[in-house]
Amino acid sequence: MFGRAKKTVDESKILEALRTVEDPDLHRDIVSLGFIKELKIEGGKVSFKVELTTPACPVKEQLKAECHQKVSAIVGVEQVDIEMTAQVRRMNVGAATAVLQGVKNIIAVASGKGGVGKSTTAANLAMALKVSGARVGLFDADIHGPSMAMMFGINSRPEVTEDRKIVPIDAHGIKVISMGFLSGPDTPVIWRGPMVHGAIQQLVRDSAWGELDYLVVDLPPGTGDAQLSISQAIALSGAVIVTTPQDVSLLDARKGLLMFRQLRVPVLGIVENMSYFLCPHCGERTEIFRHGGGKKTSEELGVPFLGEIPIDPSVPVGGDLGNPIVREKPDSPAAQAYTAFARQVAAQLSMLAESGGKSLPHAPIMPGPIDWK
Ligand SMILES: Nc1ncnc2c1ncn2[C@@H]1O[C@H](COP(=O)(O)OP(=O)(O)OP(=O)(O)O)[C@@H](O)[C@H]1O
Ligand SMILES: [Mg+2]
């Protein structure tokens, strides 16, 4: 006479199951991290959102699959719908917090020496974060060799609002401001240190960035006074150091680390550019230069290794045509490498924000004295 009573799934059972899913970067379960939102149960149908700390999470799909599997295993659950979302956490420090209200993270891309692919890395980092769904800005702070206008195909100058704010140029959905906007493309800039410092500070603060999850800053090459003062003016959340295999004399990377140590800016890690060559015809991998120095250096200095980017002839082509390779050829090995690297950067920032800035050494251990030769 009576139908079999249908088992109702109860919320606590679901949360209990989800408590066994751990974020591998943050080393805590996703329930106590507050990731589970809008949990709904209708008969055997369960739906919820998993709100990650970055849309560029490297383990997004893995976490989704694990949540699905764990909840599906509960007796009475017939259907599980999971939506992966993200709310980027704020990790910025000092003056920028007060001035750049809407900017959650400011990431500097730096290198010990010039020509290692810093601007290309910054452009593709910004692009990959944007593609993941984040709100991204790019500030080209390289006063002597600004290159972002070319890399993003920008021909116009930014407008100024009535309240005297500079409106960044929108390029492929990224808000771009370049020191090059202050001069013509062919005008070499001969400014002295304090003027550069002042101009950069003013430009970054007077720009209408709006709400940004990440502001990527392309620093001028080197680790001298100019870089120090720029980094101070911008108040960075973290820095990425770009090297090439032949450049990874431990010394160059150490100089970069020392600079950020003085500034108390956490080093998010090292990325090795032009790491190896993949033949576009047969796919064979050739390690033209001594490969692996970036990883070794990061291990020795106790900072994360963020990835290696192959040499790809399409990289300069995309750069010259205003289309970073992550957008131009998203399936190419170089674009995939940039994307994986960008996810590592986002993960490091999430970890920093979660630990209140304590998860990375502000002062990396420096083995031995620095030789400034
Ligand atoms: N992975 C790569 N494969 C092939 N070419 C690359 C790669 N990365 C960068 N390049 C090329 O190397 C050249 C130098 O790169 P880029 O301008 O990004 O270096 P940089 O470190 O910013 O230089 P600078 O110190 O002058 O600012 C560019 O022509 C760029 O297109
Ligand atoms: Mg550059």
Side-chain angles (χ1 to χ4, degrees):
M1 195 162 87
F2 300 103
R4 237 166 44 137
K6 221 174 174 189
K7 259 194 187 309
T8 43
V9 183
D10 102 57
E11 189 175 304
S12 62
K13 282 259 171 346
I14 298 195
L15 292 175
E16 196 182 307
L18 290 172
R19 242 181 257 281
T20 64
V21 180
E22 188 176 277
D23 183 305
D25 291 325
L26 303 179
H27 304 294
R28 273 170 63 200
D29 77 86
I30 59 172
V31 175
S32 63
L33 280 166
F35 285 5
I36 307 302
K37 308 274 180 201
E38 297 177 33
L39 175 58
K40 290 192 194 107
I41 305 164
E42 285 163 14
K45 280 193 199 167
V46 178
S47 66
F48 55 91
K49 288 185 177 177
V50 180
E51 190 183 86
L52 302 172
T53 51
T54 172
C57 174
V59 289
K60 190 180 345 192
E61 291 312 315
Q62 182 190 320
L63 281 176
K64 185 176 182 181
E66 203 180 334
C67 290
H68 198 279
Q69 184 219 332
K70 295 267 166 78
V71 176
S72 303
I74 299 170
V75 179
V77 172
E78 289 154 11
Q79 191 183 324
V80 185
D81 292 315
I82 306 173
E83 190 188 331
M84 302 303 281
T85 62
Q87 177 78 33
V88 175
R89 310 226 168 146
R90 174 182 281 274
M91 177 58 211
N92 60 15
V93 287
T97 321
V99 180
L100 302 183
Q101 285 288 353
V103 180
K104 290 185 177 168
N105 295 281
I106 307 180
I107 314 162
V109 179
S111 68
K113 70 172 198 184
V116 295
K118 191 165 24 60
S119 301
T120 311
T121 303
N124 282 290
L125 169 62
M127 199 72 242
L129 291 171
K130 165 71 199 153
V131 169
S132 78
R135 297 164 301 176
V136 182
L138 184 59
F139 180 59
D140 183 356
D142 191 350
I143 183 79
H144 298 292
S147 46
M148 285 309 161
M150 186 176 80
M151 288 192 180
F152 281 88
I154 299 169
N155 301 313
S156 52
R157 291 296 176 99
E159 288 178 7
V160 178
T161 60
E162 273 178 16
D163 57 348
R164 302 180 63 77
K165 285 274 180 195
I166 305 160
V167 185
I169 303 269
D170 186 298
H172 314 317
I174 296 170
K175 292 181 176 176
V176 183
I177 285 282
S178 168
M179 286 303 281
F181 294 159
L182 298 181
S183 62
D186 304 318
T187 328
V189 181
I190 311 166
W191 287 6
R192 282 206 309 253
M195 288 165 74
V196 173
H197 182 156
I200 287 185
Q201 192 155 3
Q202 198 178 344
L203 192 59
V204 83
R205 291 182 180 186
D206 288 353
S207 293
W209 295 109
E211 299 284 319
L212 291 183
D213 294 319
Y214 302 103
L215 176 59
V216 177
V217 180
D218 183 19
L219 286 181
T223 48
D225 283 350
Q227 291 75 18
L228 262 170
S229 71
I230 293 169
S231 305
Q232 260 162 340
I234 299 176
L236 307 163
S237 317
V240 170
I241 295 179
V242 185
T243 63
T244 54
Q246 69 274 44
D247 167 57
V248 264
S249 56
L250 197 52
L251 187 62
D252 271 328
R254 282 171 67 190
K255 278 183 186 170
L257 289 171
L258 185 68
M259 179 179 100
F260 290 112
R261 180 170 72 159
Q262 285 176 352
L263 292 162
R264 300 195 61 73
V265 171
V267 173
L268 302 172
I270 292 177
V271 57
E272 184 174 287
N273 188 29
M274 307 197 211
S275 188
Y276 54 92
F277 177 70
L278 279 183
C279 173
H281 307 295
C282 67
E284 195 195 345
R285 175 173 167 142
T286 313
E287 291 173 2
I288 299 177
F289 309 108
R290 208 158 39 94
H291 161 262
K295 189 163 195 320
K296 193 164 158 276
T297 305
S298 64
E299 280 164 6
E300 285 179 25
L301 298 176
V303 295
F305 183 63
L306 301 169
E308 44 190 39
I309 316 291
I311 298 174
D312 184 331
S314 307
V315 168
V317 176
D320 289 351
L321 297 179
N323 220 0
I325 193 163
V326 164
R327 185 168 185 273
E328 171 93 11
K329 287 189 178 175
D331 297 327
S332 64
Q336 302 270 321
Y338 279 122
T339 301
F341 149 70
R343 288 178 180 164
Q344 288 306 318
V345 172
Q348 291 300 336
L349 280 166
S350 294
M351 282 187 261
L352 261 182
E354 194 56 37
S355 69
K358 294 194 188 78
S359 72
L360 281 173
H362 279 269
I365 299 129
M366 312 295 280
I370 302 281
D371 177 2
W372 289 104
K373 266 200 314 275

